[in-house]
Amino acid sequence: LALDIPNLIYVRADDDFFIAGLNFRILSAYGNYVDELSNDLLNDGSMMFKITAGKESMLFCADVGIGLSDYLIDRYGNDLSAKYLQMGHHGNGGLSDEFYQLVNPDVAFFDAPDWLMYDETGKYDNPQNAEVMKSLGSDIYSFNSAPNSIILK
């Protein structure tokens, strides 16, 4: 829905912003393609963006999930690569293994508490997604390793 607020600017996929020497590129935000591809508009309509400094980048996946994986892979391919990654949807469900293989981060951040990261009920797949990221050589950070911080170079 559009809000009529004079100083509100809506972002769209492929928008670029330069702030404090960093490039912010919007890879996904709510748009008609989300309506066409997803049955989970609340999550898949969230904003995915990549911040790039001189040599390093971090991809923030927000709550974007599996419904947009193929679309994002087709649209951005190797441009998804980043040194740091905030996992989609807290690392639960989230994006496809192929998506994460293209990102191939050194560090994967799971916005998740221990009960989600180490779920033994089988209801959540954070443990499996953490194993996928470990198999790619990524270090895993979560609430358990907080405080977590990085400085993009």
Side-chain angles (χ1 to χ4, degrees):
L1 299 176
L3 300 175
D4 187 20
I5 301 173
N7 61 346
L8 178 64
I9 299 170
Y10 289 94
V11 296
R12 308 267 185 258
D14 295 323
D15 282 352
D16 279 295
F17 303 94
F18 295 90
I19 303 169
L22 300 171
N23 173 246
F24 288 73
R25 183 173 186 202
I26 309 302
L27 301 180
S28 189
Y30 180 76
N32 290 336
Y33 67 95
V34 177
D35 278 335
E36 295 167 9
L37 298 172
S38 175
N39 293 322
D40 186 6
L41 302 182
L42 182 62
N43 289 311
D44 288 341
S46 62
M47 182 174 61
M48 177 186 289
F49 61 97
K50 185 175 181 180
I51 300 175
T52 303
K55 297 178 183 178
E56 297 176 338
S57 61
M58 181 164 181
L59 179 61
F60 292 84
C61 295
D63 279 343
V64 176
I66 197 78
L68 294 184
S69 291
D70 289 343
Y71 170 82
L72 292 164
I73 290 167
D74 291 344
R75 185 169 179 119
Y76 296 107
N78 290 332
D79 288 342
L80 294 169
S81 176
K83 183 173 179 83
Y84 304 99
L85 169 70
Q86 179 259 324
M87 298 289 290
H89 204 256
H90 311 277
N92 175 43
L95 297 142
S96 69
D97 291 356
E98 184 182 359
F99 178 93
Y100 291 131
Q101 289 165 0
L102 279 170
V103 178
N104 194 26
D106 290 348
V107 177
F109 290 90
F110 285 71
D111 284 333
D114 284 352
W115 65 265
L116 194 53
M117 286 301 298
Y118 306 108
D119 174 62
E120 295 179 359
T121 68
K123 183 175 179 183
Y124 304 103
D125 59 5
N126 289 63
Q128 295 88 340
N129 286 333
E131 287 304 316
V132 167
M133 300 315 294
K134 286 178 190 174
S135 75
L136 296 174
S138 302
D139 292 330
I140 306 299
Y141 294 160
S142 68
F143 289 0
N144 191 37
S145 58
N148 301 307
S149 64
I150 62 163
I151 297 174
L152 289 177
K153 298 176 185 170

